[in-house]
Amino acid sequence: MAVKKSDLYSSLWASCDELRGGMDATPSKDYVLFMLFIKYISDKYADSEDFAPPVNIPAGASFRDMVALKGKSDIGDKINTQVIQPLIESNSRLARSDFPDFNDPNKLGDGQEMVDRLTNLVAIFERPELDFSQNRAEHDDLLGDAYEYLMRHSATESGKSKGQFYTPSEVSRIIAKVIGISPKNSVAGTTAYDPTCGSGSLLLKVAAEAGKRITLEGQEKDVSTAGLARMNMILHDFPTANVQSGNTLTSPKFKDGEALRTYDYVVANPPFSDKAWSTGLTPGNDRFQRFPWGEPPAKQGDYAYLMHIIRSMKANGKGACILPPGVLFRGNAEAVIRRHLVESGILKGIIGLPANLVYGTGIPACLLVLDKENAQTRRGILMIDASKSFIKDGPKNRLREQDIHRIVDTFQKGQDVPRYARMVPYSEIADARNDFNLNLPRYIDSSEPEDLQDIGGHLHGGIPERDIDALGAYWDVMPGLRSALFSPLRPGYATLTPALDALKPSILDHAEYQAFVSTVGDLYTTWKADHRPRMLNIRVGDSGKELIEDLGEHLLNTFRAAPLLDPYGVYQHLMTYWQEAMQDDLDLITADGWVARPQRILVKDKKGKTKDKGWFCDLLPKSFIVARYFAAEQAELDAKQAELDAARSEQDELTEEHGGEEGVFGELEKVTAKDVKALRPGLTTSDDNEGELAVVDHWLALENQIIFLKKRVSDLDAALDRKAHDQYARLTEDDIKSLVIEDKWLAELERRLHAEVDRVSQRLTGRIRELAQRYATPLPTLEAQVSELAARVDAHLARMGGQA
């Protein structure tokens, strides 16, 4: 069975928890990622019969050998000497600096503390759900995803960045797409380079977009991070990728003779505003001639990295770089460099990204897209302000799938989009008013239009026609709805025809709104019909990523024809559901086929005894089996549960009503069946207690009813559970496909689409209600009401004065 991302993430975080007692979150991830690396390569290659496997694992240096070290007093030393060292000696691209020290008492504790911690860490990776033998390296992003997962969560835990800059995968994907690399223009000899490659994720996203095993080269200043990059490359089946350690600006490693090597594609996320960039370097006498446009400021290294990137691009090379927004508008030396950059024609586009997106900084970022091809004939710069397109994710902001797709679509089409994107001509940039300042707000006003108040409406009442006209997108689709909702009041003003409480029903029941809903439904039906065969034909070995990309692209294109809906919003629903459930489902199906077998939940208690906690089925949870085959049994169970809930509620109300000092239960410390029964003998001796006796008898009758219903509910639940469990064995492959595709996937997507459609009516209703309430009471009426109230106050005060 393939490893599911959700299982992997939970195990990784459990590993960090195991280590956290001895260190904070940041260094602990180095140990955890090594464990992931050794487990992955052991599962994939320890018993490999390949002539030249990507990783050579010598005898005694596999994960199985680490398991044998559990509990031994010298476990840390043995991992260093018997596992890590032989791996390094057998794989020329690995170095000792790539791996953490497993015998470091400062991080792992002394003596038995270290033994216990490492033993427990190894045990976590023994979990059966972390068996990577079925995962296909060429389709996996396991280490890259795991690295980002750990970076995100360690940043959350520590509350600081530790100075590490990591390119979020969403940004890496944008870069890979906007530089234009694709399977059509890539060959094995295509080259890509990242001068500040970190863990290598950005390079790997470029390679993924190329769809081929292109040549990857990268340099990283931090030694341990360079080691992570080398591991990352191996796990992504790029064992020949060349990652060198060292400072790119002072000592670039990739050269042809004494000149910088040039590449087809160069991408980077350098450290923002590096204040020590020139240490060890004399920019004015740079032997690589990287600064012909001028020397960057000594305390601002952004343009130093940018010019290194440009110098490393071939004559028709493409590139992209993430930088702080200050590079767009800062003055002095940077203003001179920026002018040369614009005049060169190499700067193809600028994409403004949200604040608090990039790890290690909370400021906004911008993406500069570079292209030397046709630079001399370029006549402007495409600017995109995507700074408002994000979702909150803990302490950081994150780009959604719809944000990524909108950015890439807009860039590739070079289209103008109001308040979002513009192709800005050089003449406007060079104009004296702008003077080569590239700050995006100068060229794109992304602010929402002001909601202006209308004085005439406030003075004389009525909703301004201009505000109704502003809802033109709705009236274009439903022109008759406007006439049904508004009546003319006087020139330029209208009144709302239905009462406010009838507004939403008036919209929902209108024939044109119903036609709109029907149109959306027809589009979804068409998309389902087109893609159901593709889903039915999913087989072992297929790529889940290719499937979701195909489904997503067609869904987006289908709903471009939908009125009033944002097609990117509809697309987002599919991608969100993919991340929540479909991705795990596809991992299971492409590894094991259309198989749905229930598994027992076995949990060990503190004494080591195994307890059976029931069963589950990942691909096809019990609820879908029950809904399809045992709806009557579920309805009976629900009815009895409702009876039980009602009896409990009635008993609770009785207890509360008669639980005060004067109540029959007032003296009871706790109202239990035993204590209530004990009250009864004392209440039967006098007719004065008849009311209290009735309360006690009613309470006890409810108690008997609750006991009976609890037993009945339990019996029904157990019977339904057995029926559902046994039904799995009777399912055919076609049954499983139907349940997963129709009842699980497509039904959930349809539910989310209905919610998107509902938002259309909610937005329209909300705006009309706001306008109606705003102008409901004209100023003269308000003044009359104020005068009347003031007269009442004056009369009241006069009466008070007379009494005095």
Side-chain angles (χ1 to χ4, degrees):
M1 181 177 288
V3 175
K4 296 191 306 175
K5 294 267 172 67
S6 53
D7 287 339
L8 172 61
Y9 291 167
S10 62
S11 296
L12 290 175
W13 202 240
S15 305
C16 286
D17 284 339
E18 183 59 45
L19 290 167
R20 208 177 325 278
M23 67 189 84
D24 68 26
T26 302
S28 73
K29 74 172 173 20
D30 297 337
Y31 288 89
V32 175
L33 283 168
F34 171 75
M35 294 300 299
L36 174 64
F37 177 74
I38 190 68
K39 181 65 166 68
Y40 188 99
I41 63 173
S42 296
D43 287 348
K44 295 293 291 182
Y45 308 119
D47 300 316
S48 174
E49 296 179 0
D50 293 351
F51 175 73
V55 186
N56 292 308
I57 305 175
S62 73
F63 179 75
R64 284 196 299 267
D65 300 299
M66 291 181 70
V67 172
L69 297 173
K70 289 196 310 180
K72 294 189 176 181
S73 60
D74 57 352
I75 179 175
D77 178 63
K78 285 291 196 293
I79 291 174
N80 282 344
T81 58
Q82 294 183 5
V83 178
I84 293 177
Q85 192 57 39
L87 273 174
I88 295 165
E89 293 169 358
S90 300
N91 295 276
S92 60
R93 291 187 180 275
L94 300 178
R96 184 65 190 88
S97 58
D98 295 350
F99 307 111
D101 182 0
F102 276 79
N103 200 33
D104 186 346
N106 294 321
K107 293 180 178 177
L108 298 168
D110 286 310
Q112 193 60 39
E113 184 183 3
M114 177 189 290
V115 173
D116 291 345
R117 183 165 281 134
L118 292 179
T119 296
N120 293 338
L121 182 61
V122 172
I124 288 170
F125 281 85
E126 283 186 278
R127 293 174 176 176
E129 61 264 30
L130 292 188
D131 177 3
F132 298 108
S133 59
Q134 298 301 312
N135 287 75
R136 305 175 306 285
E138 66 272 17
H139 293 307
D140 291 333
D141 290 327
L142 283 172
L143 187 64
D145 289 349
Y147 183 86
E148 177 159 11
Y149 175 85
L150 289 174
M151 278 297 297
R152 186 167 66 246
H153 284 270
S154 64
T156 301
E157 290 286 305
S158 63
K160 48 191 173 183
S161 67
K162 301 294 183 186
Q164 297 193 50
F165 283 76
Y166 176 75
T167 312
S169 64
E170 297 88 358
V171 179
S172 297
R173 286 166 53 203
I174 291 172
I175 290 173
K177 288 178 181 296
V178 298
I179 60 174
I181 193 168
S182 72
K184 293 180 180 178
N185 59 21
S186 300
V187 295
T190 298
T191 56
Y193 165 63
D194 185 342
T196 57
C197 71
S199 68
S201 63
L202 182 48
L203 273 176
L204 285 166
K205 286 294 188 294
V206 171
E209 202 64 29
K212 295 183 176 68
R213 198 173 299 181
I214 61 174
T215 300
L216 302 181
E217 294 186 337
Q219 186 164 340
E220 169 54 39
K221 182 164 58 175
D222 183 84
V223 173
S224 63
T225 304
L228 286 175
R230 282 186 278 269
M231 286 193 286
N232 206 356
M233 296 298 169
I234 290 170
L235 292 193
H236 284 81
D237 204 27
F238 275 85
T240 59
N242 192 354
V243 177
Q244 297 287 327
S245 301
N247 186 317
T248 290
L249 293 181
T250 59
S251 181
K253 302 296 184 184
F254 297 99
K255 297 176 287 186
D256 289 326
E258 288 304 306
L260 287 181
R261 185 172 299 168
T262 56
Y263 298 85
D264 297 306
Y265 300 95
V266 185
V267 293
N269 176 20
F272 281 14
S273 303
D274 186 354
K275 298 187 184 309
W277 72 272
S278 61
T279 302
L281 179 69
T282 305
N285 190 28
D286 177 47
R287 60 196 177 102
F288 301 110
Q289 301 176 342
R290 289 173 290 187
F291 311 116
W293 296 337
E295 293 182 27
K299 300 296 183 182
Q300 300 280 9
D302 301 310
Y303 273 107
Y305 288 102
L306 183 65
M307 287 192 281
H308 175 91
I309 289 167
I310 292 171
R311 190 74 179 84
S312 301
M313 292 162 57
K314 288 182 179 179
N316 62 345
K318 317 291 195 280
C321 182
I322 305 170
L323 291 171
V327 299
L328 302 178
F329 55 80
R330 289 193 299 244
N332 301 318
E334 290 185 311
V336 175
I337 297 171
R338 185 167 58 248
R339 177 170 185 155
H340 283 293
L341 173 64
V342 172
E343 290 176 340
S344 73
I346 294 173
L347 182 58
K348 183 178 183 180
I350 303 169
I351 302 170
L353 298 172
N356 205 23
L357 186 73
V358 180
Y359 291 103
T361 178
I363 66 172
C366 63
L367 180 58
L368 271 59
V369 186
L370 311 167
D371 190 352
K372 286 187 176 179
E373 189 173 12
N374 301 321
Q376 296 305 315
T377 60
R378 198 160 281 130
R379 292 291 176 261
I381 299 173
L382 179 63
M383 298 187 184
I384 299 175
D385 185 352
S387 60
K388 295 180 174 64
S389 303
F390 63 89
I391 190 173
K392 290 288 295 179
D393 185 16
K396 301 296 289 182
N397 294 329
R398 182 168 56 82
L399 295 174
R400 298 161 295 182
E401 292 294 327
Q402 64 173 317
D403 303 322
I404 297 168
H405 214 305
R406 195 188 304 269
I407 289 169
V408 173
D409 283 353
T410 304
F411 189 87
Q412 290 177 341
K413 294 173 183 175
Q415 58 190 162
D416 284 4
V417 180
R419 301 201 303 274
Y420 185 73
R422 271 190 71 206
M423 175 60 76
V424 182
Y426 287 145
S427 57
E428 185 176 346
I429 295 169
D431 187 275
R433 293 171 301 172
N434 294 314
D435 194 23
F436 294 91
N437 184 317
L438 299 176
N439 200 19
L440 295 181
R442 283 178 173 261
Y443 306 97
I444 302 171
D445 181 4
S446 62
S447 61
E448 290 295 324
E450 187 178 355
D451 185 10
L452 297 172
Q453 301 279 335
D454 186 274
I455 295 176
H458 283 300
L459 285 173
H460 307 295
I463 301 171
E465 290 280 0
R466 70 150 194 236
D467 285 326
I468 302 173
D469 291 342
L471 298 170
Y474 297 95
W475 316 136
D476 289 343
V477 178
M478 300 173 281
L481 180 60
R482 175 173 182 164
S483 303
L485 295 179
F486 300 100
S487 303
L489 181 65
R490 62 179 186 280
Y493 296 87
T495 186
L496 184 64
T497 304
L500 275 181
D501 58 359
L503 174 59
K504 188 163 187 178
S506 298
I507 294 173
L508 296 180
D509 295 339
H510 196 275
E512 289 177 345
Y513 181 81
Q514 292 294 322
F516 154 69
V517 173
S518 179
T519 299
V520 173
D522 289 345
L523 289 171
Y524 184 62
T525 299
T526 300
W527 178 82
K528 280 198 304 183
D530 289 344
H531 292 283
R532 187 183 287 107
R534 174 79 187 273
M535 297 182 196
L536 287 168
N537 287 321
I538 299 169
R539 292 182 172 86
V540 172
D542 284 354
S543 167
K545 285 189 174 179
E546 289 180 8
L547 174 68
I548 195 61
E549 286 176 5
D550 184 46
L551 295 180
E553 286 303 311
H554 282 89
L555 185 70
L556 178 64
N557 289 328
T558 297
F559 276 86
R560 290 189 194 280
L564 299 177
L565 293 184
D566 177 4
Y568 292 100
V570 176
Y571 167 80
Q572 181 63 44
H573 283 297
L574 173 63
M575 301 311 294
T576 299
Y577 185 52
W578 162 256
Q579 293 162 354
E580 292 173 356
M582 284 185 71
Q583 183 174 18
D584 278 349
D585 290 348
L586 264 294
D587 285 346
L588 294 171
I589 295 167
T590 57
D592 307 323
W594 292 93
V595 177
R597 299 191 191 97
Q599 296 173 267
R600 305 308 303 184
I601 303 171
L602 303 175
V603 179
K604 285 187 177 180
D605 61 18
K606 293 181 180 179
K607 295 181 180 179
K609 291 185 177 180
T610 301
K611 292 189 175 183
D612 191 326
K613 296 287 188 180
W615 59 273
F616 73 100
C617 180
D618 268 330
L619 180 62
L620 197 52
K622 171 183 170 182
S623 59
F624 296 100
I625 297 292
V626 170
R628 172 77 72 95
Y629 297 102
F630 305 109
E633 290 87 339
Q634 183 66 58
E636 184 182 5
L637 174 58
D638 291 342
K640 288 300 175 191
Q641 183 65 54
E643 286 183 47
L644 175 58
D645 293 341
R648 282 174 167 161
S649 178
E650 187 177 354
Q651 190 185 56
D652 289 342
E653 289 174 7
L654 206 61
T655 301
E656 185 176 353
E657 183 181 352
H658 299 279
E661 291 184 8
E662 301 299 324
V664 65
F665 305 133
E667 294 183 4
L668 296 182
E669 186 173 336
K670 190 174 182 182
V671 182
T672 65
K674 179 181 177 182
D675 291 336
V676 173
K677 284 179 183 177
L679 291 174
R680 201 175 187 287
L683 298 172
T684 59
T685 58
S686 170
D687 292 341
D688 293 340
N689 299 327
E690 185 176 346
E692 293 182 339
L693 182 61
V695 170
V696 169
D697 285 344
H698 188 190
W699 195 98
L700 291 172
L702 287 169
E703 181 68 13
N704 290 334
Q705 186 182 2
I706 289 168
I707 292 170
F708 170 79
L709 289 171
K710 282 175 66 176
K711 176 69 166 58
R712 184 65 180 143
V713 166
S714 178
D715 290 345
L716 289 171
D717 188 46
L720 180 57
D721 190 69
R722 283 192 300 273
K723 286 182 177 182
H725 180 275
D726 295 344
Q727 182 66 28
Y728 285 90
R730 294 189 285 270
L731 296 176
T732 66
E733 183 175 297
D734 286 342
D735 291 334
I736 295 171
K737 287 181 176 181
S738 175
L739 283 159
V740 172
I741 295 172
E742 301 290 345
D743 297 13
K744 189 179 183 183
W745 294 348
L746 294 178
E748 176 60 22
L749 290 174
E750 188 164 0
R751 185 192 67 78
R752 296 183 186 214
L753 180 59
H754 280 311
E756 193 71 19
V757 172
D758 287 344
R759 272 192 278 275
V760 172
S761 66
Q762 291 166 6
R763 287 193 296 267
L764 179 59
T765 303
R767 178 56 176 168
I768 293 174
R769 178 176 284 115
E770 180 183 28
L771 291 171
Q773 292 174 333
R774 177 182 295 174
Y775 299 109
T777 310
L779 186 60
T781 302
L782 288 173
E783 290 175 337
Q785 290 172 351
V786 170
S787 298
E788 181 183 347
L789 291 172
R792 289 182 186 178
V793 171
D794 290 342
H796 183 64
L797 291 174
R799 286 196 299 273
M800 289 176 64
Q803 290 172 357

